């Protein structure tokens, strides 16, 4: 394995170009590390400046589809750090105004819609936060109606590849909240029938690349719930 410059590596994302890897460090690490990826071998090389300080309990990182910005989910602070990404070196620089205020803390996972206009985060144990992303600066502004109610202890969210739907896994209420996404405002509205039953300890969620199926791992019943998505 390749060493990390901070402890507790727990979340990661690959830059859309495939050139860089970003790693979130939880608890005692409280930072993000950046690596270059060797295109031939897959080997990692730590970038100068790593690790970048973020906030207490850094859980997750994600980029916009164009790879211009990195968004960080921190569990122990009521804010959202945002960095601009140097497309040549992969280096991170805080965008003006970062970190941006959040409505509560305990953020677990963050996703960006396919257009790069909206950021969503599972937060506060029972909500999904929505933000508009400034396409020039990367600054965040809460979307109307945010935060959006979810189930109990929402730990994972997944975006449909069409950008029309969002799914949130609720660990304690053992179900999945499903939302339709307003492409103009970024607001979320529950779809008919939501929430949908899952196993015990529904912890995360992912949608296949065709947008046909949703999968949810159930941490305490040791199985995976699988669903067909109505397009």
């Amino acid at each position: 394995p390749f060493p990390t410059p901070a402890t507790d590596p727990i979340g990661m994302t690959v830059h859309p170009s495939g050139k860089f890897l970003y790693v979130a460090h939880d608890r005692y690490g409280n930072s993000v590390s950046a690596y270059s990826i060797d295109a031939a071998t897959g080997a990692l090389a730590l970038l100068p400046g790593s690790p970048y300080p973020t906030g207490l309990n850094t859980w997750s990182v994600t980029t916009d589809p164009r790879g211009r910005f990195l968004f960080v989910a921190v569990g122990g602070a009521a804010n959202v750090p945002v960095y601009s990404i140097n497309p040549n070196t992969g280096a991170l620089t805080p965008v003006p105004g970062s970190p941006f205020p959040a409505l509560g803390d305990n953020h677990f996972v963050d996703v960006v819609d396919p257009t790069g206009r909206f950021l969503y985060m599972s937060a506060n144990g029972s909500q999904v936060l929505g933000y508009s992303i400034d396409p020039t600066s990367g600054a965040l502004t809460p979307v109307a109606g945010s935060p959006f109610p979810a189930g109990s202890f929402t730990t994972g969210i997944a975006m449909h590849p069409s950008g029309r739907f969002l799914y949130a896994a609720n660990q304690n209420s053992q179900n999945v909240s499903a939302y339709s996404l307003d492409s103009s405002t970024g607001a979320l509205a529950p779809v008919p029938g939501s929430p949908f039953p899952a196993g015990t300890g529904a912890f995360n969620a992912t949608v296949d690349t065709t947008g046909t199926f949703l999968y949810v791992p159930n941490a305490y019943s040791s199985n995976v719930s699988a669903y067909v998505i109505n397009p």
Side-chain angles (χ1 to χ4, degrees):
F2 297 93
T4 60
T7 61
D8 295 329
I10 193 170
M12 62 176 65
T13 191
V14 174
H15 190 268
S17 69
K19 295 166 57 178
F20 310 111
L21 174 74
Y22 298 97
V23 178
H25 298 277
D26 183 31
R27 296 202 179 209
Y28 307 109
N30 301 327
S31 59
V32 172
S33 297
Y35 299 84
S36 61
I37 301 174
D38 188 296
T41 67
L44 302 179
L46 191 67
L47 296 183
S50 289
Y52 298 87
T54 51
L56 184 63
N57 297 350
T58 304
W59 277 87
S60 175
V61 286
T62 193
T63 70
D64 66 298
R66 295 174 59 189
R68 299 180 60 204
F69 306 110
L70 183 80
F71 305 94
V72 182
V74 293
N79 57 47
V80 183
V82 181
Y83 297 86
S84 61
I85 301 173
N86 185 307
N88 299 314
T89 68
L92 303 179
T93 304
V95 305
S98 177
F100 296 93
L103 296 174
D105 56 9
N106 208 22
H107 310 129
F108 282 99
V109 179
D110 50 356
V111 296
V112 176
D113 82 303
T115 69
R117 296 177 57 203
F118 304 110
L119 170 73
Y120 299 93
M121 310 181 74
S122 58
N124 304 336
S126 60
Q127 296 171 326
V128 175
L129 306 183
Y131 298 90
S132 294
I133 303 171
D134 187 290
T136 302
S137 68
L140 301 179
T141 305
V143 303
S146 180
F148 302 97
S152 176
F153 201 34
T154 305
T155 50
I157 52 176
M159 177 70 64
H160 192 273
S162 69
R164 296 178 56 204
F165 309 112
L166 184 81
Y167 302 94
N170 305 305
Q171 187 176 153
N172 288 354
S173 54
Q174 305 174 27
N175 54 25
V176 179
S177 299
Y179 307 87
S180 60
L181 192 157
D182 188 305
S183 60
S184 299
T185 67
L188 301 179
V191 305
S194 180
F196 299 92
T200 306
F203 195 82
N204 212 328
T206 193
V207 179
D208 82 304
T209 55
T210 69
T212 306
F213 306 110
L214 172 75
Y215 300 96
V216 174
N218 303 301
Y220 306 136
S221 53
S222 301
N223 52 25
V224 177
S225 296
Y227 308 84
V228 176
I229 299 174
N230 186 319

